[in-house]
Amino acid sequence: MGRASLAERISALDAPEEIEDVEAIWRSVRPILILARIILILLIILIGEMFDDVYIKGLTIGIWAMIAGIPLFVLMSLGLLFGDRFNSEEDENTA
C-alpha cells in the first residue's frame, strides 16, 4: 500500500486514543513516581549531610534517612516495574 496522504495523517491525529482508564491513570502516576524517586535520593543525601552530628538511639540522622529511604526507593522501583509489566503485556496482545 502507498503512504497515507497528509490529510489522512492529520485526521488520524484528531481521532481520540482508545486507552483504558487504568492505562490513563498509570500514564499520569508514572512520572510522579519517577520524580519522587529522584527527590527521595536527593533528600537522603541532603539530610545525611546536614544532620551528620545529630544522634537518635545511637545512630546519626543520615543513617536513619538511609534506613527509611532505601526501602522506600525499592518499593517505588518495584511499583514502577509492576505497573510497566502490565502495560507492556497489553501492548503485546494488541500488536
Side-chain angles (χ1 to χ4, degrees):
M1 286 191 151
R3 294 173 54 185
S5 69
L6 181 60
E8 290 172 347
R9 285 188 266 166
I10 290 175
S11 66
L13 290 174
D14 290 336
E17 276 190 57
E18 299 291 330
I19 60 172
E20 296 180 12
D21 292 338
V22 174
E23 188 176 346
I25 291 170
W26 179 245
R27 284 185 183 182
S28 61
V29 169
R30 188 176 190 281
I32 294 170
L33 284 175
I34 292 171
L35 185 63
R37 285 191 325 167
I38 295 168
I39 292 171
L40 180 68
I41 293 297
L42 293 176
L43 282 175
I44 290 171
I45 294 168
L46 184 68
I47 289 171
E49 291 297 321
M50 288 178 60
F51 300 106
D52 193 32
D53 55 348
V54 179
Y55 287 86
I56 296 177
K57 296 191 179 196
L59 298 174
T60 64
I61 298 288
I63 299 294
W64 284 111
M66 288 193 314
I67 289 171
I70 291 173
L72 280 173
F73 182 83
V74 170
L75 285 174
M76 285 182 194
S77 298
L78 289 175
L80 284 167
L81 288 173
F82 187 71
D84 284 342
R85 184 179 67 188
F86 285 113
N87 247 0
S88 65
E89 286 177 5
E90 290 174 1
D91 291 341
E92 290 174 0
N93 291 336
T94 58

